[in-house]
Amino acid sequence: SDPKEIVRVYDALIDLLLSSGKYAEAVTLADECLVKAMNARNILFMKSMALYKLNKVKESVLIAEQLVKDANISPLESVMYNLAAGIM
């Protein structure tokens, strides 16, 4: 299986769960995906948002800070992650 395709499928599923308010399920799926693709920043970001919605603010901010420090992020990702870290 192509890791990028796996991440795309998880991304879509987690996005649906977040949109439906199913934050705990989104975290579970994110963790499942991250076992297969550790550096999937988009999945980490969605996990961070789900944790925030579950009032697990400290965990959420730690992930957002980790994302901001990633040397491989694009300028757009940098803005998005910094904004999220600042809001949370």
Side-chain angles (χ1 to χ4, degrees):
S1 298
D2 177 20
K4 288 182 181 181
E5 184 59 31
I6 290 170
V7 171
R8 273 194 290 275
V9 170
Y10 274 100
D11 185 288
L13 291 171
I14 295 167
D15 191 45
L16 283 171
L17 290 170
L18 289 173
S19 298
S20 303
K22 297 181 178 181
Y23 307 119
E25 293 92 333
V27 171
T28 300
L29 264 188
D31 287 338
E32 191 178 298
C33 179
L34 291 167
V35 168
K36 299 171 185 176
M38 273 191 320
N39 297 319
R41 292 187 300 270
N42 55 327
I43 301 299
L44 277 169
F45 181 68
M46 288 193 288
K47 178 181 177 180
S48 175
M49 299 310 285
L51 287 168
Y52 182 77
K53 292 290 192 175
L54 291 168
N55 292 318
K56 296 183 178 185
V57 176
K58 188 174 182 178
E59 288 176 70
S60 176
V61 171
L62 285 173
I63 292 171
E65 288 174 349
Q66 175 188 357
L67 287 165
V68 170
K69 292 176 185 172
D70 187 332
N72 297 314
I73 62 174
S74 70
L76 178 61
E77 287 174 309
S78 177
V79 169
M80 188 169 67
Y81 301 152
N82 274 298
L83 221 118
I87 291 171
M88 294 190 260

